[in-house]
């Protein structure tokens, strides 16, 4: 049967049917998925029992993988469980055992429970993220996604005018400070140097405006830190009201694909004594947001 996309939550989030992404897909299917992403910003694919190689192959239909010389993470390369192009969002160590709650990597990963946009702390933030659920805990572990387009549209005219040209600083230092992770090495501090991002973005395909928020945002250029952080918190509370949020309850072999240019997301709590094995591939963005010029 031909590919179809059914809305899950108004015009935010859709579920895709009629496609097997474990195999190579056609140009027409790629175009349909891209169009679906432009419309919904989040797509869900059920019953896709993917290998890492198949997930990578599917991902590469939509752009180039995000790669950086500096990993931007506290996990050392020799401690990775997976290959270099697959991000490990499990609670497992390199031996496949559940991490200790005292593990420094586990503590750092708890920052993913804050609302964020992937790689907003990079000079060029990410395009799409694709998260594959391999082993799912029996309780909790939803992924919540927030529509930054709808959140922008719902702002009053005065606030939209106020934020139009604001530039924020994003860093992993800010998001990890928020959960009490402050014991960073000098090398990590250097790797997490703040980068500048626009607070309002225009989608390159649709032109639709959205907020570009993240727990990684901790400053606004020209504002005092207290004022900036309170304002960013207010905007985040506005943008994550239930009317803007889709909560994905995972089933084994789901793949969820989202557009970081138009969404925020967060992980939810689960029983950390159960295995949660989810793996992400990430596509590189096309340009630094601050070099895009004023949003039209």
């Amino acid at each position: 049967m031909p590919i179809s996309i059914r809305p899950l939550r108004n015009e935010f989030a859709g579920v895709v049917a009629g496609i097997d992404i474990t195999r190579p897909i056609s140009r027409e299917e790629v175009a349909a998925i891209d169009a679906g992403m432009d419309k919904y910003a989040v797509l869900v694919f059920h019953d896709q029992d993917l290998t890492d190689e198949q997930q990578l192959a599917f991902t590469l239909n939509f752009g180039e993988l995000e790669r950086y010389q500096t990993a931007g993470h506290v996990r050392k390369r020799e401690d990775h469980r997976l290959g270099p192009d697959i991000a490990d969002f499990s609670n497992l160590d390199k031996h496949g055992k559940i991490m200790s709650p005292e593990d420094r990597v586990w503590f750092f990963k708890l920052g993913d429970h804050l609302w964020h946009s992937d790689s907003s702390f990079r000079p060029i933030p990410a395009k799409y993220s694709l998260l594959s659920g391999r082993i799912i805990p029996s309780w909790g572990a939803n992924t919540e996604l927030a529509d930054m387009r709808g959140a922008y549209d719902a702002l009053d005219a005065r606030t939209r005018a106020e934020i139009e040209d604001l530039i924020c600083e994003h860093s992993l230092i800010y998001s990890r400070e928020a959960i009490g992770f402050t014991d960073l090495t000098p090398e990590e501090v250097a790797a997490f140097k703040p980068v500048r991002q626009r607070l309002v973005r225009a989608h390159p395909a649709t032109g639709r405006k959205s907020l570009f928020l993240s727990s990684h945002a901790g400053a606004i250029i020209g504002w005092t830190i207290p004022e900036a952080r309170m304002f960013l918190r207010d905007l985040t509370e506005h943008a994550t009201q239930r009317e803007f949020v889709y909560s994905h309850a995972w089933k084994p072999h789901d793949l969820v694909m989202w557009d970081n240019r138009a969404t925020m997301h967060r992980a939810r709590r689960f029983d950390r004594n159960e295995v949660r094995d989810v793996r992400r591939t990430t596509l590189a963005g096309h340009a630094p947001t601050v070099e895009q010029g004023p949003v039209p």
Side-chain angles (χ1 to χ4, degrees):
M1 88 180 156
I3 186 171
S4 65
I5 302 176
R6 163 177 69 82
L8 288 168
R9 189 171 179 83
N10 299 323
E11 294 298 301
F12 179 59
V15 61
V16 184
I19 188 169
D20 176 5
I21 64 174
T22 67
R23 60 165 182 81
I25 63 174
S26 69
R27 286 181 294 180
E28 291 76 18
E29 290 170 322
V30 171
I33 292 168
D34 257 334
M37 289 292 287
D38 288 346
K39 181 175 183 178
Y40 295 107
V42 178
L43 292 179
V44 176
F45 302 77
H46 292 302
D47 302 316
Q48 305 292 334
D49 189 1
L50 293 162
T51 65
D52 289 353
E53 292 74 19
Q54 289 167 337
Q55 183 174 343
L56 281 166
F58 176 69
T59 301
L60 288 169
N61 287 295
F62 305 99
E64 297 183 1
L65 292 176
E66 184 182 66
R67 289 191 174 98
Y68 285 90
Q69 293 295 323
T70 302
H73 201 287
V74 300
R75 194 199 302 256
K76 297 177 181 177
R77 180 68 257 173
E78 60 267 25
D79 292 331
H80 282 216
R81 187 174 65 98
L82 307 176
D85 295 327
I86 300 280
D88 189 354
F89 283 86
S90 74
N91 60 338
L92 303 173
D93 64 20
K94 67 178 179 180
H95 303 295
K97 304 295 185 181
I98 292 177
M99 290 180 187
S100 162
E102 304 301 321
D103 192 308
R104 191 168 184 264
V105 174
W106 170 253
F107 194 4
F108 188 85
K109 287 164 68 67
L110 288 174
D112 295 331
H113 292 233
L114 301 174
W115 286 106
H116 64 284
S117 179
D118 289 334
S119 296
S120 77
F121 55 87
R122 309 281 196 189
I124 300 178
K127 180 187 177 186
Y128 296 164
S129 293
L130 299 90
L131 192 62
S132 170
R134 310 298 176 84
I135 302 175
I136 305 302
S138 62
W139 172 85
N142 282 18
T143 297
E144 294 186 339
L145 301 112
D147 182 6
M148 296 293 99
R149 308 163 306 176
Y152 174 84
D153 292 344
L155 291 170
D156 62 88
R158 176 173 178 164
T159 302
R160 286 200 299 270
E162 182 179 16
I163 66 175
E164 189 74 14
D165 295 316
L166 292 181
I167 304 295
C168 298
E169 287 188 345
H170 291 233
S171 170
L172 282 167
I173 294 172
Y174 300 138
S175 57
R176 271 46 190 181
E177 279 179 349
I179 64 164
F181 190 105
T182 58
D183 184 22
L184 296 172
T185 67
E187 292 78 16
E188 288 164 350
V189 171
F192 303 158
K193 182 180 178 181
V195 300
R196 294 185 173 189
Q197 307 288 4
R198 296 188 60 84
L199 183 51
V200 178
R201 299 185 69 175
H203 194 280
T206 67
R208 189 173 177 185
K209 292 182 182 180
S210 64
L211 292 170
F212 192 37
L213 293 167
S214 182
S215 60
H216 308 313
I220 299 173
I221 303 302
W223 289 40
T224 65
I225 293 294
E227 283 185 304
R229 292 190 180 177
M230 287 308 305
F231 186 57
L232 291 170
R233 179 173 291 187
D234 285 347
L235 287 176
T236 298
E237 288 180 0
H238 161 78
T240 55
Q241 296 175 85
R242 301 317 301 175
E243 65 193 274
F244 304 126
V245 173
Y246 164 68
S247 183
H248 183 72
W250 287 90
K251 297 178 181 178
H253 311 309
D254 281 352
L255 181 129
V256 179
M257 180 176 181
W258 63 83
D259 189 338
N260 289 288
R261 302 166 299 183
T263 65
M264 274 200 304
H265 63 281
R266 66 176 178 177
R268 305 305 287 144
R269 291 182 63 236
F270 62 96
D271 184 344
R272 67 164 319 281
N273 295 307
E274 295 186 38
V275 172
R276 179 181 188 254
D277 187 351
V278 292
R279 308 181 185 194
R280 193 186 81 199
T281 41
T282 312
L283 291 174
H286 72 287
T289 62
V290 292
E291 293 183 11
Q292 295 174 8
V295 177

